[in-house]
Amino acid sequence: MTDFLTNAEHWRKRAERTRELAAVAVKDQGRLLKVAEEYDRLAALAEGRRSAPVPPGRYVPASRPE
């Protein structure tokens, strides 16, 4: 399972695909470009999460119930 909180590449690919859609869109081109910018922002946040140390006892894997 992909951890979307730390997978910056996932968000970059979504931004790229959204920009491709915006390039051929007749309507909502501006909205699609804003969505792509948000995906870029999520990628930057994911990179920060990946490099930030996790305090002991704070990380619960997604596969394990709380």
Side-chain angles (χ1 to χ4, degrees):
M1 184 172 140
T2 302
D3 185 359
F4 296 116
L5 294 176
T6 58
N7 188 348
E9 188 60 29
H10 167 78
W11 298 112
R12 284 197 187 93
K13 286 179 184 177
R14 289 189 70 126
E16 180 182 339
R17 179 66 182 133
T18 303
R19 285 190 181 92
E20 290 170 0
L21 291 172
V24 296
V26 176
K27 289 184 173 180
D28 297 325
Q29 187 176 35
R31 185 179 301 185
L32 287 168
L33 291 173
K34 286 181 183 180
V35 170
E37 288 176 11
E38 286 300 310
Y39 286 146
D40 286 332
R41 187 179 70 80
L42 288 170
L45 289 171
E47 280 183 343
R49 284 187 191 104
R50 184 173 46 205
S51 61
V54 178
R58 297 291 229 148
Y59 179 75
V60 177
S63 61
R64 190 180 91 194
E66 292 185 38

